[in-house]
Structures are given as C-alpha cells and as structure tokens.
Amino acid sequence: MRIQWTHLALHVRSLERSIAFYLRYTDLRVVDRHSDAASTGMQVAWLSDPSQDDALSFVLVLQEGTPTAVPGAKPQEPLGPISHLGFGVASREEVDATAEEAKKEGLLKFGPTFLNPFAGYLCIISDPDGHSVEFSQGQSLGSSAVDSKSAA
C-alpha cells in the first residue's frame, strides 16, 4: 500500500489575513477556495505551489469558522516553539530578506542564523495566528547532512 501525504490543515481566525500572509511570504498560491457550510460549517482555502504541469502534490488547507462536527472548536494554539511550517529558499540572501521584512512588521521570532548542517541557515517568523514559519537554505532533505558531507 502506498500512502501519499496530501495536506496540512490549520484552523485560522481570519482566512483573509492568513491567505495574504502566505501569498506575501511564500510561493504558495490559492488553488481552491470554497465554503464547506453544508458539511463542516467552515470557509476553506487550499494553498499550494503546483508543479510545472499544475499537478498538486501537497496543499496547506486554511479553515475559518466553527466546525459543526465539533461544536465550540476554536483555532488551536500557535504551533511552536519548536513545531513549525518549513519552507526552503535558494540562498542565504533570501533568508535575510525574509527576516528583514518580517522584523519590520514585528513578526521575526528567530534568526537569521546558521543552526547546524541538518537545519541549515534559517529564520523563523510568525503567521497571523502566531504559528511559527521557518525559511531555510541548505537543509538536507532525503539524506543526512553527515552522509552528504562524507560523500563529497
């Protein structure tokens, strides 16, 4: 059996503010927006960075409202201090620029700094609900940094 990771859903206070944040700070784009009023009672937006052939492999689902299946449910406490959403960028300069922009808006939580060979050079900022969002350069996904260094 092959299991595919398809999405991460966040319950947000303001769909508009959250969409604006992720559009500004990431390459994510709204790929679907709909009302689940008849089933969950929530307003929903799917954000993704589609491949060149417009295929979706993973989406960030933002949900606003009180779900009818879970009366009284409220947006969760912010992800953090270690839990976070992670985005890779191409250069340290992009990490620095993101950190500088976030700092101007009072959103910078950490960095920019080189943390270690596994995490790379990164900064962490807050989204509108206080979730930690990491922007990093040089992370080793798929193989350990130690293995990559020893192979070089």
Coordinates of all heavy atoms in Angstrom, one line a residue, residues 63-100:
Q63 N -8.7 26.9 7.3 CA -10.1 26.7 7.6 C -10.5 27.8 8.6 O -9.9 27.9 9.7 CB -10.4 25.4 8.1 CG -10.0 24.2 7.2 CD -10.1 22.9 7.9 OE1 -9.5 22.7 9.0 NE2 -10.8 21.9 7.3
E64 N -11.6 28.6 8.3 CA -12.1 29.6 9.2 C -13.5 29.2 9.6 O -14.3 28.8 8.8 CB -12.0 30.9 8.5 CG -12.6 32.1 9.4 CD -12.7 33.4 8.6 OE1 -11.7 33.8 8.0 OE2 -13.8 33.9 8.6
G65 N -13.8 29.4 10.9 CA -15.2 29.2 11.3 C -15.2 28.2 12.5 O -14.2 27.7 12.9
T66 N -16.4 27.9 12.9 CA -16.7 26.9 13.9 C -17.2 25.7 13.3 O -18.3 25.7 12.7 CB -17.7 27.4 15.0 OG1 -17.2 28.6 15.6 CG2 -17.9 26.4 16.1
P67 N -16.4 24.6 13.3 CA -16.9 23.4 12.7 C -18.1 22.8 13.3 O -18.2 22.7 14.6 CB -15.7 22.4 12.8 CG -14.9 23.0 14.0 CD -15.2 24.4 14.0
T68 N -19.1 22.4 12.5 CA -20.4 21.9 13.1 C -20.2 20.6 13.7 O -20.9 20.2 14.7 CB -21.4 21.8 12.0 OG1 -20.9 21.0 10.9 CG2 -21.8 23.2 11.5
A69 N -19.2 19.8 13.3 CA -19.0 18.4 13.9 C -18.3 18.5 15.2 O -18.3 17.6 16.0 CB -18.2 17.6 12.9
V70 N -17.7 19.7 15.5 CA -17.0 19.8 16.8 C -17.5 21.2 17.4 O -16.7 22.2 17.3 CB -15.5 19.8 16.6 CG1 -14.8 19.8 18.0 CG2 -15.0 18.6 15.8
P71 N -18.7 21.2 18.0 CA -19.2 22.5 18.5 C -18.2 23.1 19.5 O -17.6 22.5 20.3 CB -20.5 22.1 19.2 CG -20.9 20.8 18.5 CD -19.6 20.1 18.2
G72 N -18.1 24.4 19.4 CA -17.2 25.2 20.3 C -15.7 25.1 19.9 O -14.9 25.7 20.6
A73 N -15.4 24.4 18.9 CA -14.0 24.3 18.5 C -13.4 25.7 18.1 O -14.1 26.5 17.4 CB -13.8 23.4 17.3
K74 N -12.3 26.0 18.5 CA -11.6 27.3 18.2 C -10.3 27.0 17.6 O -9.7 25.9 17.8 CB -11.5 28.1 19.5 CG -12.8 28.5 20.1 CD -12.5 29.3 21.4 CE -13.9 29.6 22.0 NZ -13.9 29.9 23.4
P75 N -9.7 28.0 16.9 CA -8.4 27.8 16.3 C -7.4 27.3 17.4 O -7.5 27.8 18.5 CB -8.0 29.1 15.7 CG -9.3 29.7 15.4 CD -10.3 29.3 16.5
Q76 N -6.5 26.4 17.1 CA -5.6 25.9 18.0 C -4.6 26.9 18.5 O -4.4 27.9 17.8 CB -4.9 24.7 17.5 CG -3.9 24.9 16.3 CD -4.6 25.0 15.0 OE1 -5.7 24.6 14.8 NE2 -3.9 25.5 14.0
E77 N -4.0 26.6 19.6 CA -2.9 27.5 20.0 C -1.8 27.5 18.9 O -1.7 26.5 18.2 CB -2.3 27.0 21.3 CG -3.2 27.1 22.5 CD -3.5 28.6 22.8 OE1 -2.6 29.4 22.8 OE2 -4.7 28.9 23.0
P78 N -1.0 28.5 18.8 CA 0.0 28.5 17.8 C 1.0 27.4 17.8 O 1.4 26.9 18.9 CB 0.8 29.8 18.0 CG -0.2 30.7 18.8 CD -1.0 29.7 19.6
L79 N 1.4 26.9 16.6 CA 2.5 25.9 16.6 C 3.8 26.6 17.1 O 4.1 27.7 16.8 CB 2.7 25.5 15.1 CG 1.6 24.8 14.4 CD1 2.0 24.6 12.9 CD2 1.3 23.5 15.0
G80 N 4.4 25.9 17.9 CA 5.7 26.5 18.5 C 5.9 25.9 19.9 O 5.1 25.2 20.4
P81 N 7.0 26.1 20.5 CA 8.1 26.9 20.0 C 8.9 26.1 19.0 O 9.6 26.7 18.2 CB 8.9 27.2 21.2 CG 8.6 26.1 22.2 CD 7.2 25.7 21.9
I82 N 8.9 24.8 19.0 CA 9.7 24.0 18.1 C 8.8 23.6 16.9 O 9.3 23.5 15.7 CB 10.3 22.8 18.8 CG1 11.1 23.2 19.9 CG2 11.0 21.9 17.8 CD1 12.3 24.0 19.6
S83 N 7.6 23.3 17.0 CA 6.7 22.9 15.9 C 6.6 24.1 14.9 O 6.4 25.3 15.4 CB 5.3 22.5 16.4 OG 5.4 21.5 17.3
H84 N 6.6 23.8 13.6 CA 6.6 24.9 12.7 C 6.3 24.4 11.3 O 6.4 23.2 11.0 CB 7.9 25.7 12.6 CG 9.1 24.8 12.2 ND1 9.8 24.0 13.2 CD2 9.7 24.6 11.1 CE1 10.7 23.3 12.5 NE2 10.7 23.7 11.2
L85 N 6.0 25.3 10.4 CA 5.9 25.0 9.0 C 7.2 25.4 8.4 O 7.7 26.5 8.7 CB 4.8 25.8 8.3 CG 3.4 25.7 8.9 CD1 2.4 26.6 8.3 CD2 2.9 24.2 8.7
G86 N 7.8 24.6 7.5 CA 9.1 24.9 6.9 C 9.1 25.1 5.4 O 8.4 24.3 4.7
F87 N 9.8 26.2 5.0 CA 9.9 26.5 3.5 C 11.4 26.6 3.2 O 12.1 27.3 3.9 CB 9.1 27.8 3.2 CG 7.7 27.7 3.3 CD1 7.0 27.9 4.5 CD2 6.9 27.2 2.3 CE1 5.7 27.8 4.7 CE2 5.5 27.1 2.4 CZ 4.9 27.4 3.6
G88 N 11.8 26.0 2.1 CA 13.2 26.2 1.7 C 13.3 27.3 0.6 O 12.4 27.5 -0.2
V89 N 14.4 28.0 0.7 CA 14.7 29.1 -0.3 C 16.0 28.8 -0.9 O 16.8 28.0 -0.4 CB 14.6 30.5 0.4 CG1 13.2 30.8 0.9 CG2 15.6 30.7 1.5
A90 N 16.4 29.5 -1.9 CA 17.6 29.2 -2.7 C 18.9 29.8 -2.1 O 19.9 29.3 -2.5 CB 17.4 29.7 -4.1
S91 N 18.8 30.8 -1.3 CA 20.0 31.4 -0.9 C 19.9 32.0 0.5 O 18.8 32.3 1.0 CB 20.4 32.6 -1.8 OG 19.5 33.6 -1.7
R92 N 21.0 32.3 1.2 CA 21.0 32.9 2.5 C 20.5 34.4 2.3 O 19.8 34.9 3.2 CB 22.5 33.0 3.0 CG 22.9 31.7 3.5 CD 24.4 31.8 4.1 NE 24.7 30.6 4.8 CZ 25.4 30.5 5.9 NH1 25.9 31.6 6.5 NH2 25.7 29.3 6.4
E93 N 20.7 35.0 1.2 CA 20.2 36.3 1.0 C 18.7 36.4 1.0 O 18.1 37.3 1.6 CB 20.7 36.9 -0.4 CG 22.2 37.2 -0.4 CD 23.1 36.0 -0.6 OE1 22.6 34.9 -1.0 OE2 24.3 36.0 -0.2
E94 N 18.0 35.3 0.5 CA 16.6 35.2 0.6 C 16.1 35.0 2.0 O 15.1 35.6 2.4 CB 16.1 34.1 -0.3 CG 16.2 34.4 -1.8 CD 15.7 33.2 -2.6 OE1 14.4 32.9 -2.5 OE2 16.4 32.6 -3.4
V95 N 16.8 34.3 2.8 CA 16.5 34.1 4.3 C 16.7 35.5 4.9 O 15.8 35.9 5.7 CB 17.4 33.1 5.0 CG1 17.2 33.1 6.5 CG2 17.2 31.7 4.4
D96 N 17.8 36.2 4.6 CA 18.0 37.5 5.2 C 16.9 38.5 4.9 O 16.4 39.3 5.7 CB 19.4 38.1 4.8 CG 20.5 37.3 5.4 OD1 20.4 36.6 6.4 OD2 21.6 37.4 4.8
A97 N 16.5 38.5 3.6 CA 15.5 39.4 3.1 C 14.1 39.1 3.8 O 13.4 40.0 4.2 CB 15.3 39.3 1.6
T98 N 13.8 37.8 4.0 CA 12.6 37.5 4.6 C 12.6 37.9 6.1 O 11.6 38.5 6.6 CB 12.3 35.9 4.6 OG1 12.2 35.6 3.2 CG2 11.1 35.5 5.3
A99 N 13.7 37.7 6.7 CA 13.9 38.1 8.1 C 13.8 39.6 8.3 O 13.1 40.1 9.2 CB 15.2 37.6 8.7
E100 N 14.4 40.3 7.4 CA 14.4 41.8 7.5 C 12.9 42.3 7.3 O 12.5 43.2 8.1 CB 15.3 42.4 6.4 CG 15.4 43.9 6.5 CD 15.9 44.4 7.8 OE1 16.8 43.7 8.4 OE2 15.5 45.5 8.3

